Structure formats: C-alpha cells, structure tokens
Amino acid sequence: GRRNFNRHGLAALAELEFQLHTRQANDTLHSIHFTLADKAVLFHTEVHHASNQSANTCAWGKVHQADVVLSRHAQIYRKCQKVMVALQVDETLLDRYKLLVDQDLEVTTPISDPNGHTADLTWFWTMDIPRDAQESNWMSEFYHINWLCAKAVQDKWIEEVELIKSEVLWTINFFNLKFRQWEKMGTQSQEWGAVGHTVYAAHQAVIYTNLRDQCATVMGDVNTSV
C-alpha cells in the first residue's frame, strides 16, 4: 500500500502509479461506454429485426463478440480499481471509481433509447470522463438528452411541490370560508332566538376552525421539508 511506498521513500512512485491507473481506468470506462452503445445498437437494429434463424444467429454472434470485448474492458477496470484501493487513495476518489459489478454492464433503456424511459443510469455514465463528449457525437448527444430528461424530472417535482402548497392554501381558504359562513348563520340564529340552530352553527364553526388550523400545521411541515 501507500504506507509501504512512503516508508521506503517512494511516495512519488506511488503517485505516478496512481496517475497511470487513473488514466487507464478512464480510458477503460470510455471503451465500456462505446461497447455498451454498440451492443445496444445491435439489439435495436439486428437482434430485434432478425427475420430468420440465420439472421438471428448472426446477430447474436455479434452480441457475443461485444460481450467478449466488454468483459475484457471490465477486467482491466477492476484491476485498476483494485490497485487504487491498495494504494489507499482518498475516499472521494474511491467513491468516484466504484467497484464494477455485472449488473452495471447490462444494456438498459436509457442507453439504447435516450428518448424513451428515464430510468437511473449506471454510475459510470454520469462520470465526467475527460474528452469523451468531444471525441464522440454520440456521447455528446447521450449526455445532452439525459441531462434534459433529468432536468425535466427536477422541474416536474418542483411543480409538484408548488402544486401541493397551493392545494393546501386553497383548502385553508375553503375551511376558513365555511367557518365564516357558519359563524354568520350562528349570529343570525341567535338574533332570531333559535337556540338549537345557534348551538349547531357554533359546533360547525368549531369543526371548520380545527380543520383550518390543521391545514396550517401541514403547510408549515411542507415548507420546512423542502
């Protein structure tokens, strides 16, 4: 580990080792991006449209070749990540270069069709790998579309929060209106000497007052939670 390097006065060598494996990890993740994209294209253009057994076999053969390439890149990345752990790098970097599991290498809908379902992307798709967007129009378009999808989801939830706040205010205003109506009817009943009506109206006014106050409490909870 890094302690052994430091103990033998090889801290600079440890840093160089880290830099080399970091760059190799970036290159490998970049290759994984493209291999997954190629695999998604194969599914979309060949596997799903294979009209006979021969075409289907050929299409799946290409998918298998992509899997072999993907497995090789994944193996290289895992070795790089293992070295980073051994070098005891900062936890922030280890959180950035996570352990790669088999589920991360599956072709998901956001990869094959960025305009479709906006499911969560695997962690390495959201990494800022140097120059990957500049080197590929596909990657640039992929990032743009998924950014717009994420922005749309964020805007939707902001709108939902505002709508909830408005609904609470509308409900408070409604209960307050009913309270004033029953209060007015109670006053009129008292003037007419209708004791039963007066008591009933007062009871209804208390009910709507309590409902109004409860909504105000809920509104306060909503404001403190967002």
Side-chain angles (χ1 to χ4, degrees):
R2 185 176 290 270
R3 292 180 181 177
N4 291 331
F5 279 97
N6 294 338
R7 188 182 303 116
H8 294 87
L10 300 174
L13 183 60
E15 181 63 24
L16 179 61
E17 184 80 4
F18 165 71
Q19 293 293 338
L20 289 173
H21 281 89
T22 300
R23 291 170 183 174
Q24 187 176 22
N26 287 336
D27 291 341
T28 305
L29 289 174
H30 186 57
S31 298
I32 289 175
H33 285 171
F34 280 104
T35 307
L36 284 173
D38 290 340
K39 188 176 177 181
V41 170
L42 286 173
F43 275 115
H44 190 68
T45 60
E46 298 197 27
V47 174
H48 294 166
H49 296 283
S51 57
N52 53 58
Q53 184 65 31
S54 176
N56 187 63
T57 301
C58 181
W60 278 105
K62 293 180 180 179
V63 171
H64 177 68
Q65 291 176 359
D67 284 335
V68 172
V69 175
L70 194 61
S71 178
R72 183 170 67 251
H73 290 317
Q75 185 178 11
I76 294 172
Y77 172 81
R78 286 169 179 146
K79 289 182 178 179
C80 293
Q81 200 267 350
K82 186 177 181 180
V83 171
M84 292 181 187
V85 174
L87 289 174
Q88 299 174 344
V89 299
D90 187 81
E91 288 294 331
T92 304
L93 286 172
L94 289 180
D95 186 60
R96 172 179 168 84
Y97 295 96
K98 296 181 175 63
L99 181 65
L100 191 66
V101 297
D102 292 339
Q103 289 80 0
D104 295 334
L105 302 176
E106 296 177 354
V107 176
T108 58
T109 302
I111 301 173
S112 60
D113 182 15
N115 292 303
H117 184 57
T118 56
D120 292 335
L121 291 167
T122 306
W123 59 269
F124 55 74
W125 287 104
T126 57
M127 286 182 64
D128 183 19
I129 299 176
R131 299 186 306 279
D132 61 343
Q134 289 84 351
E135 295 178 1
S136 168
N137 291 332
W138 184 89
M139 287 299 301
S140 178
E141 181 181 356
F142 177 83
Y143 286 141
H144 287 161
I145 291 175
N146 280 280
W147 184 90
L148 290 173
C149 289
K151 181 67 166 56
V153 172
Q154 181 189 42
D155 291 344
K156 176 184 176 182
W157 283 110
I158 291 175
E159 183 181 356
E160 287 290 337
V161 171
E162 292 300 322
L163 184 59
I164 290 174
K165 290 181 179 180
S166 297
E167 288 177 347
V168 173
L169 288 175
W170 297 335
T171 305
I172 291 175
N173 291 336
F174 171 76
F175 288 148
N176 197 42
L177 173 64
K178 299 299 290 185
F179 160 73
R180 292 198 303 269
Q181 289 176 345
W182 281 108
E183 186 180 45
K184 181 179 180 180
M185 285 188 285
T187 301
Q188 292 175 346
S189 298
Q190 188 175 17
E191 292 175 353
W192 296 338
V195 179
H197 290 178
T198 302
V199 173
Y200 181 78
H203 178 68
Q204 292 297 314
V206 170
I207 290 176
Y208 283 106
T209 300
N210 291 335
L211 291 173
R212 180 195 62 194
D213 294 341
Q214 289 176 12
C215 283
T217 302
V218 171
M219 183 63 179
D221 294 339
V222 171
N223 287 330
T224 56
S225 63
V226 295

